[in-house]
Amino acid sequence: MLDINSFLGDFFDIIFRMTINDIVDISIVAYIFYKIFMFIKDTRAEQVLKGILFLLVATQISETFKLHTLYWILVNALEFGVIAGLIIFQPELRAGLEHIGRAKFNFFMKNGPNISEEAITKTIEEIVEALYSLSRQKIGALIIMERQTKIGDIINTGTSIDGEASRQLLINIFIPNTPLHDGAVVIRDSQVKAAACFLPLTESKDLSKDLGTRHRAGIGVSEVSDCISLIVSEETGDVSIAKAGKLYRNISKDRMTNILRSNLKTKTDDKNFFKGGIFR
């Protein structure tokens, strides 16, 4: 009973002695941990984090009960685990840094191309018409919509186009046996920047076995950037979207239009970036 009273007394003493700086400090740390948890949620990093927490608890228990051999093993495992973690989580760390880099620090950044709402709306209309024309003909296609994260390294792997995005151009690119049909088209600022681009394949093991290279490439590039991948299946003609490493299949024409409008429309006060909305 005395221990409980002593603990409560110390606890409230700390609370009453807290300053505004302490509250701000705790709030910032809590927010950082919250953002980290939300970032790794539903990823393989979440499962590994649970394993690390288990090892920390096991280490403390082994020290309390004086299990010296087990404690020595766990302590050394955790020390080497820091280096191993940097290697294992290299993709997640890169994605996290890119996420921080996508923050809009307008004070340091110059304005990019002024893309009007009318131009974005027209581009969306042209892309949607091209997608579903290709879908009806069961012609495979892969279109990458660049957003905040620039993917110039991927653009450089293809053939430069720098043409206005139109349904005629997009359909002609993906016609079978033409020079540019094999690969991805990248669209930046309402312009077709390049065709026949090579994309990184996803390493996810949770995908359906019936998905081919085109879908895996579309998912893969969405894992390493904030782009949107638009995919037409050559076998079924189904139209899919990949975003943030997740695939949304069998998208109807109306829903596709709404998704692109909510994700690609510009803001009047932020003309340098496409709006990063969510799927609806």
Side-chain angles (χ1 to χ4, degrees):
M1 190 67 178
L2 291 176
D3 291 339
I4 295 176
N5 291 333
S6 177
F7 171 78
L8 292 176
D10 292 340
F11 175 76
F12 285 112
D13 183 54
I14 293 172
I15 295 295
F16 291 138
R17 286 191 290 110
M18 288 180 64
T19 65
I20 296 297
N21 290 342
D22 295 326
I23 295 174
V24 171
D25 187 24
I26 293 172
S27 300
I28 292 174
V29 172
Y31 178 76
I32 290 173
F33 274 101
Y34 168 76
K35 295 299 287 185
I36 291 174
F37 175 77
M38 295 304 295
F39 185 76
I40 68 173
K41 185 180 179 182
D42 297 328
T43 67
R44 59 178 182 171
E46 181 183 14
Q47 305 304 318
V48 178
L49 180 61
K50 291 178 181 178
I52 292 173
L53 292 176
F54 175 79
L55 287 178
L56 290 172
V57 172
T59 302
Q60 187 60 46
I61 292 174
S62 64
E63 182 182 21
T64 301
F65 289 96
K66 302 187 184 303
L67 305 175
H68 301 296
T69 304
L70 179 60
Y71 177 74
W72 181 86
I73 293 173
L74 291 173
V75 167
N76 283 277
L78 288 173
E79 288 179 356
F80 288 107
V82 174
I83 299 175
L86 293 175
I87 299 172
I88 294 172
F89 292 117
Q90 186 270 336
E92 284 79 4
L93 290 172
R94 175 181 174 179
L97 293 174
E98 289 179 347
H99 181 73
I100 295 172
R102 287 197 292 267
K104 301 178 182 61
F105 300 110
N106 293 326
F107 180 78
F108 299 100
M109 301 184 69
K110 299 179 180 179
N111 287 331
N114 188 347
I115 310 300
S116 66
E117 295 289 338
E118 292 77 12
I120 294 296
T121 300
K122 184 176 185 299
T123 299
I124 291 172
E125 180 183 343
E126 294 295 317
I127 292 171
V128 170
E129 291 298 329
L131 284 173
Y132 288 89
S133 174
L134 293 167
S135 173
R136 289 190 294 271
Q137 302 173 69
K138 290 190 178 180
I139 296 175
L142 178 53
I143 300 174
I144 309 302
M145 305 294 296
E146 185 187 68
R147 297 171 71 214
Q148 294 177 24
T149 301
K150 301 305 177 185
I151 51 175
D153 54 334
I154 290 174
I155 291 174
N156 292 335
T157 65
T159 300
S160 179
I161 302 292
D162 280 328
E164 182 180 351
S166 66
R167 68 192 76 181
Q168 293 86 357
L169 175 59
L170 293 171
I171 292 172
N172 284 334
I173 287 174
F174 290 110
I175 293 297
N177 301 321
T178 55
L180 302 178
H181 86 282
D182 192 15
V185 164
V186 177
I187 296 179
R188 171 193 287 175
D189 300 330
S190 297
Q191 296 286 311
V192 176
K193 292 297 294 182
C197 297
F198 294 96
L199 305 179
L201 300 181
T202 181
E203 297 181 1
S204 174
K205 306 299 182 184
D206 301 326
L207 298 177
S208 173
K209 300 297 183 183
D210 64 336
L211 295 178
T213 303
R214 184 176 289 109
H215 288 82
R216 293 180 181 275
I219 297 171
V221 70
S222 75
E223 292 174 338
V224 298
S225 75
D226 66 339
C227 70
I228 296 178
S229 302
L230 311 176
I231 309 157
V232 179
S233 171
E234 189 174 0
E235 288 76 21
T236 65
D238 292 336
V239 181
S240 304
I241 295 179
K243 181 183 179 185
K246 295 183 179 180
L247 183 67
Y248 303 81
R249 306 180 69 178
N250 303 326
I251 307 295
S252 67
K253 187 175 181 179
D254 289 339
R255 189 182 177 208
M256 172 67 72
T257 302
N258 291 333
I259 289 172
L260 294 181
R261 283 176 178 170
S262 65
N263 281 268
L264 301 179
K265 278 192 174 181
T266 57
K267 298 179 180 179
T268 56
D269 60 342
D270 186 14
K271 297 174 182 176
N272 191 32
F273 292 110
F274 284 154
K275 181 179 178 182
I278 59 174
F279 286 126
R280 298 178 182 177

